[in-house]
Amino acid sequence: MEIPVIDLSRYLEIADQLGTEPVILSGQIEEFGSWLGELCKEVSQILRETGALVVKDPRCTAEDNDKFIDMMEKYFERPREFKLLQERSHLHYQVGVTPEGVEVPRSLVDEEMQKKLKAMPKEFQPSTPSGPDPKWRYMWRVGPRPSNTRFKELNSEPVIPEGFPEWKDTMDSWGCKMISTIEAVAEMAAIGFGLSKCAFTSLMKQGPHLLAPTGSDLSCHRQEGTVFAGYHYDLNFLTIHGRSRFPGLNIWLRNGQKIEVKVPSGCLLIQTGKQIEWLTAGECMAGMHEVVVTNRTIDAIKLASQQNRSLWRVSSTLFAHIASDAVLKPFRPFC
């Protein structure tokens, strides 16, 4: 099964003209044509049924993604001692670098989850990790933070590594562009669910959004079946990824089917997190996923080696959050 690609171009052209309340929106949907209502319902339906969505946003180009990945490959290739200078464990790794071997997948320690996984059909079972994830991650906050908050550890100052003068501009630019994509999708999903256009985005304002690219060293961890990110879901609202240069991401649909994700060039992958599950009372479920070395990953490694390219698998992941001080409760239609 291929995840449908939603082109946001047409919605973005008229988004600023749309009212916020459903009663106004219903009239405008008739005014702009049936395509608007159908497109928004398609977005909400795909999120409900699959927990994943592939979108094309003209504001986020393949060149933007390449520029970001080029810089992160350069960073992850630096020695371990250099990278550990950006570690902030006392802030729960919410800014700076998270070394490999720190993130532990829930499937490794949760016995109840392990029982459920063993009961799944063999072809849909996730790979079994042998320990903590052997991947690095870098956390970079995106967007404004509240001046008054009860959760300062989630709104900490960013960490900039030495020797990367382009770091801040590149991180901020790519992060803000992906947040804009999330906001457009959140508006469309809200309209599709019959909510006000800003139902989700109003709760996202000044949220602790994190650009959190991962780096996995395929020169060391290249055996088929190696688990870089064990079976898990994300705790945030929506997660967005640019296209990686190495495949290996598997997701599970709501019906339990496991599929390998293939993101076309110039497109972005969006997945549902736990916060949207709570806001919709389970209408949308947090999407389960993993990152594993597959035969397609090995083919990409061979090609990269022949072309003398980096063997670090970088994911341009961004976690979009509901604001730290907001209360998570189901919207009325889902109660």
Side-chain angles (χ1 to χ4, degrees):
M1 173 186 172
E2 295 289 333
I3 302 174
V5 177
I6 301 293
D7 192 333
L8 304 184
S9 302
R10 203 171 178 189
Y11 175 80
L12 293 172
E13 290 174 359
I14 56 91
D16 291 340
Q17 304 173 48
L18 296 176
T20 58
E21 296 306 316
V23 64
I24 299 174
L25 276 168
S26 61
Q28 290 182 313
I29 288 173
E30 292 181 12
E31 176 186 341
F32 285 109
S34 60
W35 69 267
L36 177 57
E38 291 169 359
L39 184 62
C40 292
K41 285 182 179 177
E42 184 179 9
V43 168
S44 61
Q45 181 179 347
I46 293 173
L47 290 177
R48 180 193 297 117
E49 294 178 357
T50 71
L53 185 69
V54 175
V55 299
K56 187 171 182 62
D57 186 334
R59 301 168 298 179
C60 297
T61 65
E63 291 73 24
D64 291 328
N65 189 49
D66 286 340
K67 180 181 178 182
F68 175 80
I69 290 181
D70 287 344
M71 185 185 75
M72 293 310 304
E73 286 178 347
K74 181 181 172 185
Y75 171 78
F76 285 125
E77 286 171 348
R78 296 295 296 269
R80 178 184 179 87
E81 294 74 20
F82 172 83
K83 289 180 287 195
L84 289 180
L85 295 175
Q86 291 84 53
E87 183 182 12
R88 299 293 184 272
S89 57
H90 63 287
L91 294 175
H92 318 294
Y93 302 102
Q94 288 301 299
V95 291
V97 76
T98 304
E100 61 181 350
V102 171
E103 295 186 5
V104 178
R106 184 173 174 179
S107 58
L108 187 66
V109 295
D110 188 327
E111 293 182 0
E112 284 299 316
M113 178 179 279
Q114 291 170 0
K115 291 178 183 176
K116 291 179 181 178
L117 300 185
K118 289 178 181 177
M120 294 168 64
K122 194 72 175 177
E123 66 271 24
F124 297 152
Q125 288 182 12
S127 300
T128 303
S130 58
D133 293 340
K135 70 175 186 296
W136 292 73
R137 187 189 294 279
Y138 205 100
M139 292 286 206
W140 178 266
R141 72 177 202 172
V142 178
R145 293 302 197 255
S147 56
N148 184 22
T149 175
R150 293 173 293 155
F151 304 97
K152 289 189 177 180
E153 72 275 10
L154 298 181
N155 298 278
S156 306
E157 289 302 313
V159 180
I160 302 176
E162 289 187 13
F164 289 83
E166 76 279 26
W167 187 273
K168 187 177 187 304
D169 288 344
T170 302
M171 299 293 266
D172 287 345
S173 173
W174 186 230
C176 288
K177 286 183 178 184
M178 289 202 289
I179 284 289
S180 296
T181 301
I182 288 276
E183 289 173 339
V185 169
E187 287 179 358
M188 296 170 75
I191 295 170
F193 283 129
L195 304 170
S196 66
K197 171 190 167 187
C198 61
F200 295 127
T201 53
S202 61
L203 294 175
M204 291 174 59
K205 287 181 179 177
Q206 296 190 331
H209 311 309
L210 288 169
L211 180 57
T214 62
S216 306
D217 189 356
L218 293 169
S219 67
C220 299
H221 308 286
R222 60 196 306 163
Q223 184 175 353
E224 186 171 355
T226 299
V227 181
F228 283 121
Y231 181 80
H232 69 286
Y233 59 75
D234 296 335
L235 290 170
N236 55 299
F237 174 59
L238 291 173
T239 301
I240 185 168
H241 313 263
R243 186 173 185 264
S244 176
R245 290 171 177 167
F246 296 91
L249 174 64
N250 296 320
I251 69 170
W252 278 259
L253 307 183
R254 186 163 187 154
N255 64 7
Q257 182 183 354
K258 173 184 176 180
I259 62 171
E260 183 178 3
V261 176
K262 299 175 183 177
V263 180
S265 179
C267 292
L268 301 155
L269 172 70
I270 293 176
Q271 291 178 278
T272 50
K274 203 66 177 178
Q275 290 177 343
I276 194 172
E277 179 177 324
W278 288 325
L279 290 170
T280 62
E283 190 79 7
C284 290
M285 299 291 289
M288 306 302 298
H289 51 283
E290 68 176 6
V291 178
V292 181
V293 175
T294 66
N295 57 352
R296 291 183 63 239
T297 314
I298 294 172
D299 290 341
I301 292 172
K302 292 176 181 176
L303 181 61
S305 298
Q306 292 169 4
Q307 298 175 346
N308 199 30
R309 291 190 285 108
S310 174
L311 293 182
W312 277 85
R313 183 190 187 277
V314 174
S315 74
S316 54
T317 303
L318 183 139
F319 300 119
H321 285 261
I322 300 302
S324 305
D325 295 274
V327 176
L328 288 168
K329 57 183 178 181
F331 286 107
R332 188 174 298 276
F334 304 112
C335 290

